[in-house]
Amino acid sequence: MRIFKHRGDIYISSSKSRLNLEQKILFVILAAIVVFTVVFILLVGIKNDFSVKTFFSPGSTDENVTETAEILPEVSGKTNFLFILSNSDENSIYFCTVIQTDLDNLAYKVCTLSPGTTSGEKTLQSNYKTGGAAGVQSALGELLGISIDYYIDQTVSQYKTFFNSLGNVNYMIERDIKYKDTSTYGFSLKLSAGEQSIDGDTMSKLLRYYIAEESNYSAVNDIILTSLSQQMNSQNYEDKEDLFSDFIENSQTNITIKNFTSALDALQVISSDTVGMTVYNVTAEYDGASLTQGSISSIKGYFQ
């Protein structure tokens, strides 16, 4: 039987008994080549962890890409903070805000109160003058019937500095704002309607504008919730030690390094790009300078 058509063709005898020596040699050489190829492929494959699936998967000829899902720690509990924006020269406060990080429900809750809010026979402002942020913490906890774990007191200058270290916030301005406060510690603010990238200086003015001009505590809540949602992010978590140092330098607070260290798991969770925190804007309601009983009950329900 002829395999090829031209001169030098290889012939295989049609009779099994007449295989010649050349045919036997060819089959032996062919078998040796096949065995060598198989052994070579196996050795290289074992060394480089080859598999059919890996070989034919996209990008397998370039590099192995491993994507590991973020594993977050188990966290729980609720922590209440008191935030105060103050004027150190006058020993006065612009506003105070109760903030809760609720790890049980992965939520932020915020309620802003007027400095003139009465607590017993004194206002929050008078409590600040006599006892500082700790005095307001105690008075407000008693008024609302809640436990406030930590206080954070920042002057306008400190607030701006620390805010900038966390990064700008994108915030929607509902309408054009043009305002000038001509008091001793006054300021000017001009913003166009629409989404704006806001730095610490502008944000501090916007907060003071809503308090001084509109007594709009719900708007202040919204700004703080927006700041928390955007600035508690994975990049800032990576820089947490430096940021905590900036925080201590720019705050009067009872938060310690030990408190910070014990809260690292919680910080990792709320800063994760895969976690969406729910937000609650808790608006205080007043009857003159006093919170209404219904408002006190409502705030207590959120922050207990």
Side-chain angles (χ1 to χ4, degrees):
M1 180 176 67
R2 189 170 69 176
I3 298 178
F4 301 105
K5 296 181 180 180
H6 304 293
R7 187 174 181 178
D9 295 343
I10 298 172
Y11 286 82
I12 299 177
S13 173
S14 59
S15 174
K16 293 182 180 179
S17 63
R18 300 180 59 184
L19 287 174
N20 58 36
L21 180 59
E22 291 179 350
Q23 292 170 343
K24 291 180 180 180
I25 292 172
L26 287 173
F27 279 122
V28 170
I29 293 172
L30 179 61
I33 291 172
V34 170
V35 171
F36 177 83
T37 303
V38 171
V39 171
F40 179 82
I41 291 174
L42 287 174
L43 289 174
V44 173
I46 293 170
K47 180 179 180 181
N48 294 280
D49 191 27
F50 287 166
S51 68
V52 173
K53 182 178 179 181
T54 302
F55 183 80
F56 288 104
S57 64
S60 63
T61 57
D62 297 326
E63 60 181 354
N64 293 325
V65 179
T66 304
E67 293 185 4
T68 305
E70 182 182 16
I71 300 175
L72 296 174
E74 294 288 336
V75 295
S76 62
K78 301 175 182 180
T79 306
N80 290 330
F81 301 85
L82 170 65
F83 172 73
I84 294 174
L85 186 67
S86 63
N87 182 327
S88 59
D89 291 341
E90 292 189 340
N91 196 27
S92 61
I93 58 179
Y94 293 108
F95 65 85
C96 55
T97 303
V98 182
I99 302 169
Q100 183 181 91
T101 54
D102 180 353
L103 298 175
D104 295 334
N105 302 292
L106 295 179
Y108 295 126
K109 305 169 190 177
V110 169
C111 180
T112 300
L113 301 167
S114 164
T117 303
T118 55
S119 174
E121 298 181 352
K122 302 174 69 175
T123 64
L124 297 180
Q125 174 62 71
S126 58
N127 276 288
Y128 184 79
K129 281 186 176 293
T130 58
V136 179
Q137 175 190 20
S138 176
L140 200 51
E142 184 177 346
L143 172 65
L144 299 175
I146 62 174
S147 174
I148 299 177
D149 303 285
Y150 305 106
Y151 64 80
I152 302 163
D153 180 6
Q154 293 182 330
T155 65
V156 172
S157 176
Q158 289 174 329
Y159 173 82
K160 292 191 290 186
T161 299
F162 183 62
F163 187 99
N164 287 336
S165 68
L166 295 171
N168 284 14
V169 165
N170 294 323
Y171 187 73
M172 179 63 68
I173 305 299
E174 298 295 333
R175 60 182 184 278
D176 292 350
I177 297 175
K178 187 176 182 181
Y179 176 75
K180 186 172 184 178
D181 183 336
T182 58
S183 64
T184 304
Y185 299 96
F187 62 94
S188 297
L189 178 63
K190 186 176 182 180
L191 287 171
S192 299
E195 186 170 275
Q196 305 287 344
S197 178
I198 299 180
D199 63 10
D201 180 64
T202 302
M203 193 62 87
S204 68
K205 292 175 180 177
L206 190 60
L207 289 167
R208 292 173 64 190
Y209 163 78
Y210 281 126
I211 295 294
E213 181 65 11
E214 298 186 3
S215 297
N216 189 345
Y217 298 99
S218 179
V220 175
N221 290 346
D222 189 56
I223 289 172
I224 294 174
L225 286 167
T226 301
S227 298
L228 287 169
S229 298
Q230 294 185 29
Q231 292 176 322
M232 299 300 291
N233 56 54
S234 57
Q235 180 57 56
N236 282 339
Y237 178 76
E238 291 299 318
D239 300 333
K240 55 188 176 295
E241 286 83 8
D242 289 339
L243 288 172
F244 183 70
S245 179
D246 289 345
F247 168 77
I248 293 298
E249 185 177 345
N250 289 286
S251 304
Q252 294 74 49
T253 181
N254 62 340
I255 299 175
T256 66
I257 294 176
K258 183 178 179 181
N259 299 142
F260 167 71
T261 302
S262 64
L264 288 179
D265 283 352
L267 283 172
Q268 182 182 355
V269 170
I270 64 179
S271 300
S272 172
D273 296 331
T274 63
V275 174
M277 298 288 285
T278 305
V279 297
Y280 293 90
N281 183 328
V282 184
T283 305
E285 296 181 358
Y286 286 90
D287 180 8
S290 301
L291 289 169
T292 65
Q293 193 57 48
S295 185
I296 291 175
S297 297
S298 176
I299 295 169
K300 182 177 181 179
Y302 278 104
F303 291 92
Q304 269 190 328

